[in-house]
Amino acid sequence: MTAPTLPQPLAGGTPTARSSAALIRAEAPVLAHNYHPLPVVVARAEGAWVEDVEGRRYLDMLAGYSALNFGHRHPALIEAAHRQLDRVTLTSRAFHHDRLAEFAEGLAELTGLDMVLPMNTGAEAVESAIKVARKWAYQVKGVAADRATIVVADGNFHGRTTTIVSFSGDPVAREGFGPFTPGFRTVPYNDLTALEEALDETTAAVLIEPIQGEAGVLIPDDGYLAGVRELTRRAGCLFVADEIQSGLGRTGTTLAVDHEAVLPDVVLLGKALGGGIVPVSAVVARREVLGVLRPGEHGSTFGGNPLAAAVGSAVVELLATGEFQRRAAELGTVLDAGLSALTGRGITGYRTRGLWAGVDVDPAIGTGREISERLLREGVLVKDTHGSTIRLAPPLTITREELESALSSLEKVLTRPQG
Ligand SMILES: Cc1ncc(COP(=O)(O)O)c(C=O)c1O
């Protein structure tokens, strides 16, 4: 495979005189240590590329955990943001503003649902959906007061607020953060029998990721999502699909549930909805569901602000063309072929859907962290999940040549002994 031609030097002067090493050292005493970043200090970015303080180039194969589905600084999104910055950026929801209707209309049309509750971060969208599902259970389904339950899947990742970690199975996310919020039941992922047994007259909703990203890009069996749809319909509860990481083109379709032609009652979106520019998330749902909210029951000062709505609308416009979904599907076959060729040669297994992969590295070669550090030295950014699994989620704008170059770096790291 030939190395791709590097793009032109990235625009913008160096904003800091400090070196990468000095900046990393400077963070330690003044920043909470709730992350363990790879030792790279990004100063500029464009498309699928980032550049560090010293001007070294890296191919971004993580894309902000899908927040950068359209690459860094996509021209149409930057233009939409600039235009809005020159008009009005924040109103609060105390007033109407002229960008919100278009954003909600676009998102409803894109998802095939009716109403939108705009929020900011993914965790906020999940929290909002939990509140809405409970209110719906009491008001529409007739569950006895304070008895509503929500069924979730083992291995889930929905964010890190106190209520969300209450139903996380990850001890690191939970330990030291109790007491926890009651009202959740956990069943094994990809197990329809267990799910059916967990549903009863108290069930407000089933909340699942159509593909479990943080767990290692775990893809359920064909028929699982359709089965969840059928079981929730029969049980008279809501199907809430957390598409915050899987949605908006990543898997080769607009939503990951589209692979089974399933329409949930509630879809949660975030990450890429903000175009890599601002945090934008949303609960998108049937009218009967979001219709339960009344003024004062829920809200956010920043949710649906004019800048967020302008960028979010531009994201919806990009997706409406279908181009990004097509690219993810086409390049997904390249990703899949590259990983297939490495199976038994450094990787023990992998899962792909569209431009998204969970790659299980042979533990004899290194942990996911070690492989990520070696790839960093090769000019490729990836992130480990658990143990020896790394995930690949490049921008959907990546070229075939760039993708092949990243795969050949992975091959080098896995198959050649460390020098
Ligand atoms: C499926 C899923 N839900 C929710 C979240 C939380 O999103 P945020 O980090 O924006 O709060 C994430 C983040 O990785 C996610 O992958």
Side-chain angles (χ1 to χ4, degrees):
M1 274 180 263
T2 53
T5 316
L6 285 186
Q8 292 301 302
L10 303 179
T14 304
T16 171
R18 290 198 264 182
S19 68
S20 291
L23 288 164
I24 291 172
R25 271 197 310 277
E27 285 186 0
V30 290
L31 273 172
H33 295 185
N34 56 329
Y35 279 95
H36 181 31
L38 290 173
V40 55
V41 182
V42 174
R44 288 168 288 276
E46 188 175 300
W49 293 88
V50 304
E51 200 175 275
D52 74 5
V53 170
E54 283 80 17
R56 285 179 291 252
R57 295 285 182 78
Y58 304 85
L59 195 48
D60 185 354
M61 291 290 289
L62 179 67
Y65 304 95
S66 287
L68 289 154
N69 276 2
F70 309 98
H72 293 270
R73 301 171 53 247
H74 188 286
L77 302 178
I78 292 291
E79 199 200 322
H82 275 159
R83 259 190 277 123
Q84 196 58 39
L85 282 170
D86 287 337
R87 294 178 62 224
V88 57
T89 53
L90 189 72
T91 54
S92 84
R93 294 288 303 277
F95 316 113
H96 297 270
H97 68 75
D98 67 353
R99 305 313 307 263
L100 199 48
E102 178 194 346
F103 175 52
E105 283 163 356
L107 215 44
E109 189 174 343
L110 189 76
T111 54
L113 290 159
D114 306 321
M115 287 180 98
V116 175
L117 169 62
M119 299 298 287
N120 310 283
T121 65
E124 276 180 306
V126 175
E127 288 275 349
S128 307
I130 290 167
K131 281 179 68 179
V132 168
R134 286 177 173 172
K135 186 94 196 289
W136 174 88
Y138 301 129
Q139 202 166 295
V140 180
K141 180 168 172 169
V143 173
D146 296 338
R147 297 293 307 279
T149 54
I150 292 179
V151 178
V152 297
D154 224 358
N156 68 71
F157 185 86
H158 297 284
R160 297 191 190 276
T161 61
T162 39
T163 289
I164 294 173
V165 300
S166 297
F167 55 88
S168 167
D170 178 1
V172 178
R174 286 171 60 92
E175 270 168 36
F177 300 112
F180 298 113
T181 311
F184 299 95
R185 271 181 209 160
T186 305
V187 294
Y189 189 60
N190 195 25
D191 183 338
L192 289 171
T193 311
L195 178 62
E196 186 168 18
E197 282 167 11
L199 302 179
D200 64 20
E201 70 289 348
T202 69
T203 314
V206 173
L207 165 64
I208 55 155
E209 297 153 87
I211 292 174
Q212 288 192 326
E214 296 301 305
V217 190
L218 300 188
I219 302 168
D221 296 338
D222 284 347
Y224 176 67
L225 299 173
V228 174
R229 176 66 284 184
E230 184 51 29
L231 289 178
T232 48
R233 200 189 317 272
R234 266 196 259 149
C237 68
L238 304 176
F239 177 6
V240 182
D242 180 346
E243 294 260 10
I244 288 165
Q245 196 165 162
S246 60
L248 304 181
R250 169 60 52 195
T251 67
T253 48
T254 300
L255 300 176
V257 290
D258 295 343
H259 287 278
E260 292 196 24
V262 159
L263 185 63
D265 302 292
V266 182
V267 169
L268 308 182
L269 298 172
K271 295 192 191 280
L273 194 55
I277 300 174
V278 278
V280 185
S281 68
V283 178
V284 193
R286 290 196 292 111
R287 193 172 315 285
E288 173 197 289
V289 182
L290 269 178
V292 300
L293 286 182
R294 291 285 161 264
E297 291 178 347
H298 195 64
S300 154
T301 303
F302 292 97
N305 68 70
L307 183 59
V311 172
S313 291
V315 164
V316 170
E317 260 178 53
L318 289 183
L319 285 165
T321 66
E323 180 200 332
F324 295 90
Q325 298 89 322
R326 261 194 309 281
R327 284 187 70 82
E330 281 164 22
L331 291 173
T333 63
V334 177
L335 178 63
D336 192 78
L339 294 174
S340 168
L342 285 173
T343 304
R345 296 173 58 229
I347 71 177
T348 55
Y350 72 93
R351 300 153 296 282
T352 61
R353 180 138 298 167
L355 263 180
W356 201 15
V359 182
D360 304 327
V361 173
D362 182 348
I365 295 176
T367 61
R369 173 78 189 189
E370 287 161 348
I371 300 300
S372 304
E373 286 174 355
R374 282 186 228 165
L375 277 168
L376 175 69
R377 291 196 284 276
E378 296 295 323
V380 176
L381 302 184
V382 303
K383 188 74 174 76
D384 52 307
T385 51
H386 299 286
S388 287
T389 300
I390 56 173
R391 97 193 77 182
L392 307 177
L396 311 182
T397 53
I398 196 169
T399 64
R400 183 185 177 123
E401 204 180 25
E402 288 164 342
L403 181 60
E404 286 175 343
S405 157
L407 285 164
S408 68
S409 296
L410 181 62
E411 178 181 21
K412 181 174 168 198
V413 160
L414 294 176
T415 58
R416 292 197 209 150
Q418 279 270 280

PDB file of all heavy atoms in Angstrom, residues 35 65 120-124 126 157-160 209 211 213-214 242-246 270-271 391, ligand 1:
ATOM      1  N   TYR A  35      -9.369  11.429  33.114  1.00  0.00           N
ATOM      2  CA  TYR A  35      -9.015  10.851  31.814  1.00  0.00           C
ATOM      3  C   TYR A  35      -7.542  10.457  31.824  1.00  0.00           C
ATOM      4  O   TYR A  35      -6.761  10.976  32.630  1.00  0.00           O
ATOM      5  CB  TYR A  35      -9.255  11.863  30.673  1.00  0.00           C
ATOM      6  CG  TYR A  35     -10.703  11.925  30.241  1.00  0.00           C
ATOM      7  CD1 TYR A  35     -11.567  12.881  30.767  1.00  0.00           C
ATOM      8  CD2 TYR A  35     -11.211  11.021  29.321  1.00  0.00           C
ATOM      9  CE1 TYR A  35     -12.901  12.933  30.390  1.00  0.00           C
ATOM     10  CE2 TYR A  35     -12.539  11.062  28.930  1.00  0.00           C
ATOM     11  CZ  TYR A  35     -13.377  12.015  29.471  1.00  0.00           C
ATOM     12  OH  TYR A  35     -14.686  12.055  29.093  1.00  0.00           O
ATOM     13  N   TYR A  65     -14.930   9.769  19.142  1.00  0.00           N
ATOM     14  CA  TYR A  65     -15.948   8.748  19.453  1.00  0.00           C
ATOM     15  C   TYR A  65     -17.207   8.984  18.620  1.00  0.00           C
ATOM     16  O   TYR A  65     -18.316   8.874  19.129  1.00  0.00           O
ATOM     17  CB  TYR A  65     -16.330   8.754  20.937  1.00  0.00           C
ATOM     18  CG  TYR A  65     -15.190   8.572  21.895  1.00  0.00           C
ATOM     19  CD1 TYR A  65     -14.568   9.676  22.465  1.00  0.00           C
ATOM     20  CD2 TYR A  65     -14.745   7.306  22.243  1.00  0.00           C
ATOM     21  CE1 TYR A  65     -13.517   9.516  23.352  1.00  0.00           C
ATOM     22  CE2 TYR A  65     -13.692   7.141  23.131  1.00  0.00           C
ATOM     23  CZ  TYR A  65     -13.088   8.255  23.676  1.00  0.00           C
ATOM     24  OH  TYR A  65     -12.053   8.094  24.554  1.00  0.00           O
ATOM     25  N   ASN A 120     -27.942  18.997  25.234  1.00  0.00           N
ATOM     26  CA  ASN A 120     -26.564  19.341  24.861  1.00  0.00           C
ATOM     27  C   ASN A 120     -25.663  18.111  24.770  1.00  0.00           C
ATOM     28  O   ASN A 120     -25.156  17.778  23.726  1.00  0.00           O
ATOM     29  CB  ASN A 120     -25.991  20.345  25.851  1.00  0.00           C
ATOM     30  CG  ASN A 120     -26.925  21.519  26.056  1.00  0.00           C
ATOM     31  OD1 ASN A 120     -27.000  22.395  25.210  1.00  0.00           O
ATOM     32  ND2 ASN A 120     -27.680  21.520  27.149  1.00  0.00           N
ATOM     33  N   THR A 121     -25.475  17.423  25.893  1.00  0.00           N
ATOM     34  CA  THR A 121     -24.588  16.259  25.888  1.00  0.00           C
ATOM     35  C   THR A 121     -25.396  14.975  25.742  1.00  0.00           C
ATOM     36  O   THR A 121     -26.620  14.953  25.935  1.00  0.00           O
ATOM     37  CB  THR A 121     -23.794  16.179  27.206  1.00  0.00           C
ATOM     38  OG1 THR A 121     -24.729  15.941  28.265  1.00  0.00           O
ATOM     39  CG2 THR A 121     -23.018  17.444  27.450  1.00  0.00           C
ATOM     40  N   GLY A 122     -24.672  13.893  25.438  1.00  0.00           N
ATOM     41  CA  GLY A 122     -25.330  12.604  25.318  1.00  0.00           C
ATOM     42  C   GLY A 122     -25.976  12.173  26.625  1.00  0.00           C
ATOM     43  O   GLY A 122     -27.128  11.718  26.642  1.00  0.00           O
ATOM     44  N   ALA A 123     -25.229  12.315  27.716  1.00  0.00           N
ATOM     45  CA  ALA A 123     -25.773  11.895  29.017  1.00  0.00           C
ATOM     46  C   ALA A 123     -27.067  12.640  29.338  1.00  0.00           C
ATOM     47  O   ALA A 123     -28.011  12.059  29.886  1.00  0.00           O
ATOM     48  CB  ALA A 123     -24.733  12.120  30.109  1.00  0.00           C
ATOM     49  N   GLU A 124     -27.134  13.912  28.969  1.00  0.00           N
ATOM     50  CA  GLU A 124     -28.365  14.676  29.204  1.00  0.00           C
ATOM     51  C   GLU A 124     -29.533  14.117  28.392  1.00  0.00           C
ATOM     52  O   GLU A 124     -30.672  14.113  28.871  1.00  0.00           O
ATOM     53  CB  GLU A 124     -28.170  16.127  28.776  1.00  0.00           C
ATOM     54  CG  GLU A 124     -27.518  17.012  29.797  1.00  0.00           C
ATOM     55  CD  GLU A 124     -27.400  18.419  29.239  1.00  0.00           C
ATOM     56  OE1 GLU A 124     -26.832  18.569  28.146  1.00  0.00           O
ATOM     57  OE2 GLU A 124     -27.897  19.339  29.878  1.00  0.00           O
ATOM     58  N   VAL A 126     -29.887  11.002  27.540  1.00  0.00           N
ATOM     59  CA  VAL A 126     -30.293   9.750  28.197  1.00  0.00           C
ATOM     60  C   VAL A 126     -31.118  10.067  29.455  1.00  0.00           C
ATOM     61  O   VAL A 126     -32.193   9.489  29.678  1.00  0.00           O
ATOM     62  CB  VAL A 126     -29.048   8.901  28.552  1.00  0.00           C
ATOM     63  CG1 VAL A 126     -29.441   7.659  29.331  1.00  0.00           C
ATOM     64  CG2 VAL A 126     -28.286   8.514  27.281  1.00  0.00           C
ATOM     65  N   PHE A 157     -23.182   1.348  27.930  1.00  0.00           N
ATOM     66  CA  PHE A 157     -22.577   2.643  28.255  1.00  0.00           C
ATOM     67  C   PHE A 157     -23.511   3.727  27.759  1.00  0.00           C
ATOM     68  O   PHE A 157     -23.728   3.883  26.563  1.00  0.00           O
ATOM     69  CB  PHE A 157     -21.190   2.830  27.630  1.00  0.00           C
ATOM     70  CG  PHE A 157     -20.570   4.128  28.089  1.00  0.00           C
ATOM     71  CD1 PHE A 157     -19.847   4.188  29.270  1.00  0.00           C
ATOM     72  CD2 PHE A 157     -20.765   5.307  27.380  1.00  0.00           C
ATOM     73  CE1 PHE A 157     -19.322   5.395  29.731  1.00  0.00           C
ATOM     74  CE2 PHE A 157     -20.238   6.518  27.839  1.00  0.00           C
ATOM     75  CZ  PHE A 157     -19.519   6.547  29.011  1.00  0.00           C
ATOM     76  N   HIS A 158     -24.071   4.495  28.719  1.00  0.00           N
ATOM     77  CA  HIS A 158     -24.986   5.568  28.346  1.00  0.00           C
ATOM     78  C   HIS A 158     -24.532   6.918  28.900  1.00  0.00           C
ATOM     79  O   HIS A 158     -25.283   7.892  28.821  1.00  0.00           O
ATOM     80  CB  HIS A 158     -26.397   5.262  28.837  1.00  0.00           C
ATOM     81  CG  HIS A 158     -27.011   4.030  28.233  1.00  0.00           C
ATOM     82  ND1 HIS A 158     -27.515   4.003  26.952  1.00  0.00           N
ATOM     83  CD2 HIS A 158     -27.185   2.789  28.736  1.00  0.00           C
ATOM     84  CE1 HIS A 158     -27.996   2.781  26.689  1.00  0.00           C
ATOM     85  NE2 HIS A 158     -27.806   2.026  27.757  1.00  0.00           N
ATOM     86  N   GLY A 159     -23.343   6.974  29.520  1.00  0.00           N
ATOM     87  CA  GLY A 159     -22.882   8.245  30.075  1.00  0.00           C
ATOM     88  C   GLY A 159     -22.471   8.065  31.517  1.00  0.00           C
ATOM     89  O   GLY A 159     -22.366   6.931  32.013  1.00  0.00           O
ATOM     90  N   ARG A 160     -22.241   9.186  32.216  1.00  0.00           N
ATOM     91  CA  ARG A 160     -21.630   9.073  33.538  1.00  0.00           C
ATOM     92  C   ARG A 160     -22.301   9.905  34.631  1.00  0.00           C
ATOM     93  O   ARG A 160     -21.658  10.271  35.618  1.00  0.00           O
ATOM     94  CB  ARG A 160     -20.162   9.470  33.442  1.00  0.00           C
ATOM     95  CG  ARG A 160     -19.359   8.557  32.543  1.00  0.00           C
ATOM     96  CD  ARG A 160     -17.903   8.838  32.703  1.00  0.00           C
ATOM     97  NE  ARG A 160     -17.105   8.160  31.712  1.00  0.00           N
ATOM     98  CZ  ARG A 160     -16.696   6.904  31.814  1.00  0.00           C
ATOM     99  NH1 ARG A 160     -17.032   6.176  32.861  1.00  0.00           N
ATOM    100  NH2 ARG A 160     -15.967   6.366  30.860  1.00  0.00           N
ATOM    101  N   GLU A 209     -28.377   0.231  23.463  1.00  0.00           N
ATOM    102  CA  GLU A 209     -27.586   0.693  22.320  1.00  0.00           C
ATOM    103  C   GLU A 209     -27.778  -0.354  21.207  1.00  0.00           C
ATOM    104  O   GLU A 209     -27.548  -1.542  21.454  1.00  0.00           O
ATOM    105  CB  GLU A 209     -26.101   0.742  22.678  1.00  0.00           C
ATOM    106  CG  GLU A 209     -25.723   1.707  23.781  1.00  0.00           C
ATOM    107  CD  GLU A 209     -24.465   1.239  24.511  1.00  0.00           C
ATOM    108  OE1 GLU A 209     -23.364   1.577  24.056  1.00  0.00           O
ATOM    109  OE2 GLU A 209     -24.582   0.536  25.537  1.00  0.00           O
ATOM    110  N   ILE A 211     -25.871  -0.970  18.855  1.00  0.00           N
ATOM    111  CA  ILE A 211     -24.542  -1.596  18.838  1.00  0.00           C
ATOM    112  C   ILE A 211     -23.846  -1.053  20.080  1.00  0.00           C
ATOM    113  O   ILE A 211     -23.876   0.158  20.312  1.00  0.00           O
ATOM    114  CB  ILE A 211     -23.757  -1.204  17.567  1.00  0.00           C
ATOM    115  CG1 ILE A 211     -24.425  -1.832  16.326  1.00  0.00           C
ATOM    116  CG2 ILE A 211     -22.290  -1.636  17.665  1.00  0.00           C
ATOM    117  CD1 ILE A 211     -23.819  -1.409  15.003  1.00  0.00           C
ATOM    118  N   GLY A 213     -21.019   0.367  21.754  1.00  0.00           N
ATOM    119  CA  GLY A 213     -19.751   0.956  21.355  1.00  0.00           C
ATOM    120  C   GLY A 213     -18.644   0.766  22.383  1.00  0.00           C
ATOM    121  O   GLY A 213     -17.610   0.154  22.105  1.00  0.00           O
ATOM    122  N   GLU A 214     -18.863   1.297  23.563  1.00  0.00           N
ATOM    123  CA  GLU A 214     -17.811   1.250  24.591  1.00  0.00           C
ATOM    124  C   GLU A 214     -17.486  -0.182  24.975  1.00  0.00           C
ATOM    125  O   GLU A 214     -16.371  -0.484  25.373  1.00  0.00           O
ATOM    126  CB  GLU A 214     -18.249   2.033  25.838  1.00  0.00           C
ATOM    127  CG  GLU A 214     -18.450   3.507  25.606  1.00  0.00           C
ATOM    128  CD  GLU A 214     -17.193   4.202  25.098  1.00  0.00           C
ATOM    129  OE1 GLU A 214     -16.142   4.101  25.752  1.00  0.00           O
ATOM    130  OE2 GLU A 214     -17.269   4.823  24.026  1.00  0.00           O
ATOM    131  N   ASP A 242     -30.468   4.149  22.084  1.00  0.00           N
ATOM    132  CA  ASP A 242     -29.403   5.126  22.289  1.00  0.00           C
ATOM    133  C   ASP A 242     -28.481   5.059  21.073  1.00  0.00           C
ATOM    134  O   ASP A 242     -27.633   4.179  20.957  1.00  0.00           O
ATOM    135  CB  ASP A 242     -28.639   4.822  23.584  1.00  0.00           C
ATOM    136  CG  ASP A 242     -27.511   5.826  23.826  1.00  0.00           C
ATOM    137  OD1 ASP A 242     -27.162   6.570  22.888  1.00  0.00           O
ATOM    138  OD2 ASP A 242     -26.975   5.847  24.960  1.00  0.00           O
ATOM    139  N   GLU A 243     -28.679   5.997  20.152  1.00  0.00           N
ATOM    140  CA  GLU A 243     -27.900   6.057  18.901  1.00  0.00           C
ATOM    141  C   GLU A 243     -26.855   7.175  18.980  1.00  0.00           C
ATOM    142  O   GLU A 243     -26.423   7.702  17.944  1.00  0.00           O
ATOM    143  CB  GLU A 243     -28.847   6.293  17.709  1.00  0.00           C
ATOM    144  CG  GLU A 243     -29.792   5.142  17.436  1.00  0.00           C
ATOM    145  CD  GLU A 243     -29.313   4.243  16.290  1.00  0.00           C
ATOM    146  OE1 GLU A 243     -28.157   4.393  15.833  1.00  0.00           O
ATOM    147  OE2 GLU A 243     -30.117   3.391  15.859  1.00  0.00           O
ATOM    148  N   ILE A 244     -26.482   7.523  20.208  1.00  0.00           N
ATOM    149  CA  ILE A 244     -25.566   8.657  20.389  1.00  0.00           C
ATOM    150  C   ILE A 244     -24.221   8.385  19.721  1.00  0.00           C
ATOM    151  O   ILE A 244     -23.631   9.275  19.123  1.00  0.00           O
ATOM    152  CB  ILE A 244     -25.443   8.980  21.893  1.00  0.00           C
ATOM    153  CG1 ILE A 244     -26.750   9.632  22.365  1.00  0.00           C
ATOM    154  CG2 ILE A 244     -24.232   9.864  22.202  1.00  0.00           C
ATOM    155  CD1 ILE A 244     -26.950   9.690  23.857  1.00  0.00           C
ATOM    156  N   GLN A 245     -23.754   7.138  19.785  1.00  0.00           N
ATOM    157  CA  GLN A 245     -22.489   6.807  19.117  1.00  0.00           C
ATOM    158  C   GLN A 245     -22.724   6.090  17.782  1.00  0.00           C
ATOM    159  O   GLN A 245     -21.971   6.260  16.835  1.00  0.00           O
ATOM    160  CB  GLN A 245     -21.620   5.931  20.039  1.00  0.00           C
ATOM    161  CG  GLN A 245     -20.180   5.881  19.595  1.00  0.00           C
ATOM    162  CD  GLN A 245     -19.197   5.335  20.626  1.00  0.00           C
ATOM    163  OE1 GLN A 245     -18.100   4.956  20.257  1.00  0.00           O
ATOM    164  NE2 GLN A 245     -19.553   5.305  21.900  1.00  0.00           N
ATOM    165  N   SER A 246     -23.783   5.300  17.703  1.00  0.00           N
ATOM    166  CA  SER A 246     -24.000   4.472  16.511  1.00  0.00           C
ATOM    167  C   SER A 246     -24.724   5.205  15.385  1.00  0.00           C
ATOM    168  O   SER A 246     -24.678   4.766  14.235  1.00  0.00           O
ATOM    169  CB  SER A 246     -24.814   3.222  16.895  1.00  0.00           C
ATOM    170  OG  SER A 246     -26.073   3.599  17.440  1.00  0.00           O
ATOM    171  N   GLY A 270     -26.656  12.417  19.713  1.00  0.00           N
ATOM    172  CA  GLY A 270     -25.700  13.355  20.313  1.00  0.00           C
ATOM    173  C   GLY A 270     -24.474  13.384  19.442  1.00  0.00           C
ATOM    174  O   GLY A 270     -24.558  13.248  18.226  1.00  0.00           O
ATOM    175  N   LYS A 271     -23.330  13.529  20.064  1.00  0.00           N
ATOM    176  CA  LYS A 271     -22.029  13.486  19.378  1.00  0.00           C
ATOM    177  C   LYS A 271     -22.050  14.174  18.008  1.00  0.00           C
ATOM    178  O   LYS A 271     -21.932  15.381  17.942  1.00  0.00           O
ATOM    179  CB  LYS A 271     -21.539  12.041  19.281  1.00  0.00           C
ATOM    180  CG  LYS A 271     -21.241  11.434  20.665  1.00  0.00           C
ATOM    181  CD  LYS A 271     -20.491  10.148  20.557  1.00  0.00           C
ATOM    182  CE  LYS A 271     -20.407   9.395  21.870  1.00  0.00           C
ATOM    183  NZ  LYS A 271     -19.383   9.901  22.771  1.00  0.00           N
ATOM    184  N   ARG A 391     -10.759   0.412  19.302  1.00  0.00           N
ATOM    185  CA  ARG A 391     -11.872   0.697  18.392  1.00  0.00           C
ATOM    186  C   ARG A 391     -11.393   1.649  17.307  1.00  0.00           C
ATOM    187  O   ARG A 391     -10.570   2.528  17.561  1.00  0.00           O
ATOM    188  CB  ARG A 391     -13.048   1.261  19.156  1.00  0.00           C
ATOM    189  CG  ARG A 391     -13.145   2.748  19.132  1.00  0.00           C
ATOM    190  CD  ARG A 391     -14.093   3.261  20.111  1.00  0.00           C
ATOM    191  NE  ARG A 391     -13.482   3.210  21.429  1.00  0.00           N
ATOM    192  CZ  ARG A 391     -14.092   3.568  22.538  1.00  0.00           C
ATOM    193  NH1 ARG A 391     -15.334   3.935  22.513  1.00  0.00           N
ATOM    194  NH2 ARG A 391     -13.473   3.549  23.697  1.00  0.00           N
TER     195      ARG A 391
HETATM  196  C1  LIG B   1     -24.056   5.198  23.486  1.00  0.00           C
HETATM  197  C2  LIG B   1     -23.671   6.408  24.288  1.00  0.00           C
HETATM  198  N1  LIG B   1     -24.603   7.027  25.039  1.00  0.00           N
HETATM  199  C3  LIG B   1     -24.310   8.121  25.750  1.00  0.00           C
HETATM  200  C4  LIG B   1     -23.028   8.650  25.779  1.00  0.00           C
HETATM  201  C5  LIG B   1     -22.725   9.857  26.609  1.00  0.00           C
HETATM  202  O1  LIG B   1     -22.477  10.971  25.812  1.00  0.00           O
HETATM  203  P1  LIG B   1     -21.740  12.255  26.414  1.00  0.00           P
HETATM  204  O2  LIG B   1     -20.314  11.884  26.642  1.00  0.00           O
HETATM  205  O3  LIG B   1     -21.899  13.313  25.356  1.00  0.00           O
HETATM  206  O4  LIG B   1     -22.447  12.595  27.684  1.00  0.00           O
HETATM  207  C6  LIG B   1     -22.035   8.028  25.023  1.00  0.00           C
HETATM  208  C7  LIG B   1     -20.652   8.529  25.043  1.00  0.00           C
HETATM  209  O5  LIG B   1     -19.699   7.883  24.658  1.00  0.00           O
HETATM  210  C8  LIG B   1     -22.361   6.866  24.267  1.00  0.00           C
HETATM  211  O6  LIG B   1     -21.446   6.235  23.535  1.00  0.00           O
END
